[in-house]
Structures are given as C-alpha cells and as structure tokens.
C-alpha cells in the first residue's frame, strides 16, 4: 500500500526532523519545508537512505503568508499528513519592552502557523481526508510571568487547532494537538530542565505518529505533563499571583 506524503513545516527544527524520521520509518514519503531549504539536503539524503523513502525539500517562510497558497500549489504531491513544527520562543524580557519582538513571537507561533494550516484544512476538506498535526505547548495552558508572550501565542494556536478539529469532525479530516512539555532541542539548550519532564525529540516523533494512527485529539508527549498542568490550572488566581513560575 502506498502511504501518503507527510509535509513537515519547520523541517529544520529538531522536532520537525524527529517527526520526519518517525513517519519515514513507517514508509511515508517526506516533504521537508523550511527557509533556506537547499541547506536541508544533507538531512533529506540521510532520511532517504535510512528509511528508503522519497524525500524532497521545499523553500518555505511561514511569515510570508501571502505566499502560502503558491507554496502548497508547488508541492510535488498533495500531502496526506501535515505536521506544523514551527515555533519561536523569543526572550520574554525583550518582548516586555519591544512590541516588535513580541509581535514576532506571536506571529511565529500563532498567526502564521494558523494561516498555513487554515489553507491546508480547506484543501483537505475538499478531498475529504487528511490529518493536521499542530505542535503547540503546555505554555498555552496558563499564562505565567516568565513566558506569557510565547504562552499566549501558543494558547491561541491551541484554541485554533481545537476549533479546526471541531469544524472538520464530520469531513474525514482529523486534527491533532501536541503539547510537548520540555524537549531537549537546540531551542532549550543551556536550560536547566528536569529529566523526568524532558522528552527527547525521537520520543516526541514516535508519540506524534502514534497519535495520528490512533486519531488522538490532544496529547501531552509525557503524560505527567497532563497532571502538572492540571494542577497549575487549578491554582486560585490570588495564590498564583504570588508565585514566580
């Protein structure tokens, strides 16, 4: 059986590449999309050799929303699964004093990913099949002083995915929301992360593939995060204001 291509938006990120390997290991052709896509050729060659699947690279700038439709039109085949692994943490301190910096974080994590996935959703709906995977974050579960700009953008993205899933529920198109928690990537390099709460990119990739196969709606890559965030969400606001989380 020929499996549908998987489009990875954010194909250069550690999470994007981990998802690419996980799907390629199942036999899916892979389309890696990122800025400066030509530089992704070594990763594409490695994917193809390891898993014996076709791999292509595609120039893609998520912030160029005017070019999204043309980007999708230029793909060699319509993807059956689209994984959006685009994200930008930014620096909370910079976002507090520079709206341009805050806007960049918000656009990169919410507005632009929602724009491309909205287009993908419309095309999949017309075909009556497909799966959309959005990599969101536990940071969107409750705003915290240390990262509320990034967290608010992820909260918006989580709500967008939830609404999209609700809209497409009867169309044959499924939407998966992934809340990774801490992941050991280049973006978190240098942070003092607790081992029990920190997933490896490969662990995330495997969890995403399982979620797609089982048609899960929302997953925390490490289940302990569901408990952690449930506790954080239930802390009364007067108490929460005194905490520095």
């Amino acid at each position: 059986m020929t499996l549908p291509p998987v489009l990875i938006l954010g194909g250069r990120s550690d999470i994007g590449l981990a998802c690419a390997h996980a799907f390629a290991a199942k036999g899916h052709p892979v389309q890696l999309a990122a800025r400066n896509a030509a530089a992704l050729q070594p990763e594409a060659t490695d994917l193809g050799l390891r898993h014996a699947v076709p791999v292509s690279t595609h120039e893609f700038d998520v912030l160029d929303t005017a070019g999204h439709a043309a980007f999708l039109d230029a793909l060699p085949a319509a993807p059956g699964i689209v994984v959006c692994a685009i994200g930008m943490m930014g620096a909370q301190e910079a976002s507090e004093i520079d709206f341009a910096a805050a806007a960049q974080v918000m656009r990169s994590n919410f507005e632009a990913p929602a724009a491309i996935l909205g287009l993908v959703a419309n095309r999949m709906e017309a075909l009556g099949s497909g799966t959309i995977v959005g990599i969101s974050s536990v940071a969107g579960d409750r705003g915290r002083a240390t990262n509320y700009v990034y967290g608010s953008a992820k909260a918006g993205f989580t709500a967008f995915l939830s609404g999209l899933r609700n809209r497409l529920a009867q169309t044959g198109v499924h939407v998966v929301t992934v809340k990774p928690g801490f992941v050991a990537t280049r973006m978190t390099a240098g942070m003092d992360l607790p081992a029990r709460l920190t997933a490896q990119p490969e662990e995330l990739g495997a969890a995403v593939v399982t979620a797609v196969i089982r048609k899960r709606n929302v997953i925390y890559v490490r289940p302990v995060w569901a408990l952690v965030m449930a506790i954080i969400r239930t802390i009364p606001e007067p108490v929460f204001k005194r905490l520095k989380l």
Side-chain angles (χ1 to χ4, degrees):
M1 181 176 68
T2 302
L3 296 176
V6 178
L7 171 63
I8 308 290
L9 302 171
R12 179 172 285 103
S13 69
D14 292 325
I15 287 176
L17 283 172
C19 291
H21 276 282
F23 280 106
K26 295 290 185 182
H28 288 272
V30 173
Q31 302 165 343
L32 291 176
R35 286 179 293 184
N36 193 18
L40 272 172
Q41 196 52 52
E43 288 83 357
T45 301
D46 179 54
L47 269 166
L49 290 175
R50 284 192 192 209
H51 307 294
V53 296
V55 180
S56 55
T57 62
H58 306 277
E59 189 67 29
F60 177 63
D61 181 354
V62 72
L63 297 181
D64 177 22
T65 53
H68 285 178
F71 161 75
L72 293 173
D73 289 339
L75 293 173
I81 300 169
V82 175
V83 178
C84 183
I86 292 169
M88 173 190 175
M89 186 171 290
Q92 173 65 28
E93 297 80 2
S95 294
E96 291 174 9
I97 59 175
D98 181 357
F99 178 72
Q104 184 82 351
V105 173
M106 293 175 185
R107 288 203 71 210
S108 299
N109 291 290
F110 174 37
E111 178 193 321
I116 183 69
L117 292 188
L119 283 179
V120 169
N122 293 343
R123 294 180 182 215
M124 286 183 171
E125 183 178 21
L127 294 172
S129 66
T131 301
I132 293 170
V133 179
I135 308 296
S136 191
S137 172
V138 298
D141 281 12
R142 188 168 190 177
R144 295 180 290 116
T146 53
N147 72 347
Y148 64 83
V149 173
Y150 172 79
S152 63
K154 285 298 191 183
F157 190 48
T158 295
F160 175 84
L161 294 168
S162 175
L164 199 60
R165 180 166 45 250
N166 189 243
R167 169 194 147 193
L168 298 174
Q170 308 303 321
T171 67
V173 181
H174 187 59
V175 179
V176 181
T177 304
V178 181
K179 298 182 180 183
F182 298 138
V183 183
T185 66
R186 286 167 287 182
M187 194 164 76
T188 59
M191 295 182 179
D192 184 19
L193 303 179
R196 186 167 179 238
L197 296 177
T198 305
Q200 297 301 311
E202 298 77 12
E203 183 180 351
L204 185 149
V208 167
V209 169
T210 299
V212 169
I213 293 172
R214 296 181 180 176
K215 293 191 177 300
R216 300 282 301 278
N217 296 315
V218 181
I219 66 164
Y220 291 85
V221 174
R222 289 204 169 183
V224 65
W225 273 106
L227 175 61
V228 170
M229 297 315 300
I231 293 171
I232 289 177
R233 285 195 303 270
T234 56
I235 297 174
E237 196 67 21
V239 176
F240 198 69
K241 287 196 299 183
R242 296 197 293 270
L243 303 176
K244 287 295 183 183
L245 297 176

